[in-house]
Structure formats: C-alpha cells, structure tokens
C-alpha cells in the first residue's frame, strides 16, 4: 500500500510529497541528544514497516498484544546506533510547547497555511482537551482566510456529548450549519469519508488500501 509513497512532514526539508503534518510529533521521529541543533530525523514508512515486521518475527507476534516501538531498538538491529542518545519526538497536547518550538515551528506554520486553504476539514479521534489551548489558536489562525469552509466534520467515539460541546464552543454560531459530529471510531470514519467521496476501498482482512 505504501510502496513509493513520498511523505512531506513539513520539517523544512523541502521534500515534495504527500503532506502528513504531525503537530504533536511521531513515534518514527527522533533527535540525537548529542546534537546541539536537535535536528529532527525520521524513519521512512518503508523502514518503519520493515522494523515492525522484524519485531513481530522476533517476538512471535500475537494479535491483541501491545508492542512498544523503540527507535533505539530499530537502530541497534541495524548497527546504526553507536554513540547516540536518541529520543522520540512526542509533544504533549498542552499550551506550553516552548521546549519544542524551534523544532516544530515549521510544521505548525505549514499546518496553518493548509488550513487557510481548506474547504473541507475532517477531524478524527481528537477530543479537543481543555488543556490544549494551542490547537484553538492554531485553528483560529488557520481558518481566517478568504476561503470559505464548506464542511467541518468531527469523528470521535465519545457519544456523551462532552467532546461535541467543546467543538461547538470552538467553532461558534458562524459554522453551525456546516458542522457535523459523528460518534464513530477511526476505521468507521475512514469508511464514512470514503463513501462520501465515492472512493472505493480494497478491503483485505483487518487492513485496507486505496484502490
């Protein structure tokens, strides 16, 4: 499914490809503690998939069992982790992101630019916690543009009404007619979006790929 798929994480490397902007970092991003600039590096999708397959083989993988993705383990297996002090780049969803600003400012800037051009916004699996004031400011900044957003659809399995209420407060009355909240899981959301876009999915067991 991911063969030859080029990814642009917005890290400032000018790498053309599908934009995958991870505002809170990713388990395949890492920095070297001995690098003064703390430059973010990452494993490709191919490398990550290969590692997971190798880990499954070594651990006699069993469905339903959680396994930890360890960047040091990966590099150790490939003899590339000598004299390094590697850390995953994972950013907690809080306002206090100053520690990470230098590394992720470009990602956030690209995200704001993409939001400013978006006409359909889909939010999957994010509950908009009260502590994440940063997301509110980013969303407000990114959606102030000449482009009129047609639809904002939030997918989240929470059916209590709490998550929906937080998003309605964020969006305000101006988007009331364009906002939808659907209490669906991630996999269900993907199917719902595909159906709305008339995209056919090739289903094979527990995973699927675009046709």
């Amino acid at each position: 499914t991911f063969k030859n798929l080029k990814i642009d994480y917005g890290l400032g490397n000018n790498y053309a490809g599908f934009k995958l902007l991870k505002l809170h970092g990713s388990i395949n991003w890492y920095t070297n503690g001995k690098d003064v600039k703390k430059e973010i590096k990452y494993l490709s999708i191919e490398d990550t998939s290969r590692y997971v397959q190798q880990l499954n083989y070594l651990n006699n993988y069993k469905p339903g069992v959680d396994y930890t993705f360890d960047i040091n383990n990966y590099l150790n297996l490939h003899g590339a982790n000598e004299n390094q002090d590697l850390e995953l780049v994972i950013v907690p969803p809080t306002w206090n992101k100053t520690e990470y600003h230098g590394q992720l400012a470009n990602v956030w800037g690209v995200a704001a630019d993409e939001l400013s051009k978006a006409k359909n916004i889909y939010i999957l699996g994010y509950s908009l916690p009260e502590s994440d004031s940063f997301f509110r400011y980013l969303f407000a900044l990114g959606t102030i543009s000449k482009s009129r957003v047609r639809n904002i659809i939030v997918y989240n399995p929470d059916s209590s009404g709490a998550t929906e209420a937080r998003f309605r407060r964020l969006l305000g009355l101006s988007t009331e007619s364009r906002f939808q909240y659907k209490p669906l899981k991630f996999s269900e959301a993907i199917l719902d979006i595909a159906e709305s876009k008339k995209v056919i999915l090739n289903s094979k067991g527990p995973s699927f790929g675009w046709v």
Side-chain angles (χ1 to χ4, degrees):
T1 301
F2 299 114
K3 187 176 182 180
N4 298 321
L5 179 64
K6 303 299 182 183
I7 298 295
D8 179 5
Y9 287 119
L11 291 169
N13 49 19
N14 298 317
Y15 190 70
F18 177 79
K19 284 187 173 63
L20 185 58
L21 307 174
K22 299 190 172 185
L23 305 184
H24 300 292
S26 177
I27 62 170
N28 66 316
W29 295 9
Y30 63 96
T31 59
N32 185 346
K34 296 182 180 181
D35 179 6
V36 177
K37 295 182 179 180
K38 292 284 187 178
E39 179 184 1
I40 295 177
K41 299 180 180 179
Y42 56 86
L43 300 179
S44 68
I45 289 180
E46 291 84 356
D47 287 339
T48 306
S49 298
R50 192 177 301 115
Y51 168 75
V52 171
Q53 291 172 2
Q54 187 172 9
L55 189 66
N56 291 346
Y57 174 77
L58 293 174
N59 291 326
N60 294 317
Y61 173 76
K62 297 178 181 179
V65 177
D66 292 332
Y67 292 93
T68 301
F69 184 92
D70 188 330
I71 196 74
N72 284 288
N73 260 354
Y74 171 84
L75 295 176
N76 281 334
L77 285 171
H78 294 78
N81 195 23
E82 295 182 2
N83 300 318
Q84 297 191 66
D85 180 18
L86 304 183
E87 294 181 352
L88 292 181
V89 180
I90 300 294
V91 185
T94 62
W95 171 246
N96 184 20
K97 290 182 168 63
T98 52
E99 178 183 352
Y100 307 93
H101 183 270
Q103 304 172 62
L104 297 177
N106 197 69
V107 179
W108 298 331
V110 175
D113 180 62
E114 290 298 319
L115 275 175
S116 72
K117 297 180 290 187
K119 293 185 178 180
N120 296 286
I121 298 175
Y122 302 92
I123 301 174
L124 282 66
Y126 179 62
S127 62
L128 190 63
E130 298 293 350
S131 61
D132 197 356
S133 300
F134 179 82
F135 177 85
R136 291 172 170 82
Y137 284 104
L138 178 67
F139 189 85
L141 178 64
T143 51
I144 297 176
S145 68
K146 295 181 180 179
S147 298
R148 179 176 173 82
V149 177
R150 296 173 182 169
N151 298 291
I152 300 176
I153 304 178
V154 174
Y155 295 94
N156 193 290
D158 174 29
S159 58
S160 69
T163 299
E164 180 179 0
R166 285 194 293 272
F167 274 101
R168 288 190 180 278
R169 288 196 297 271
L170 169 69
L171 299 172
L173 296 175
S174 62
T175 60
E176 185 72 25
S177 63
R178 291 168 279 158
F179 173 72
Q180 294 182 64
Y181 181 87
K182 299 188 178 185
L184 300 177
K185 296 178 181 179
F186 185 88
S187 58
E188 296 170 329
I190 294 296
L191 293 174
D192 187 72
I193 294 172
E195 183 178 353
S196 70
K197 297 296 182 182
K198 294 181 172 56
V199 174
I200 300 174
L201 295 178
N202 176 26
S203 179
K204 294 182 179 179
S207 61
F208 50 78
W210 301 106
V211 172

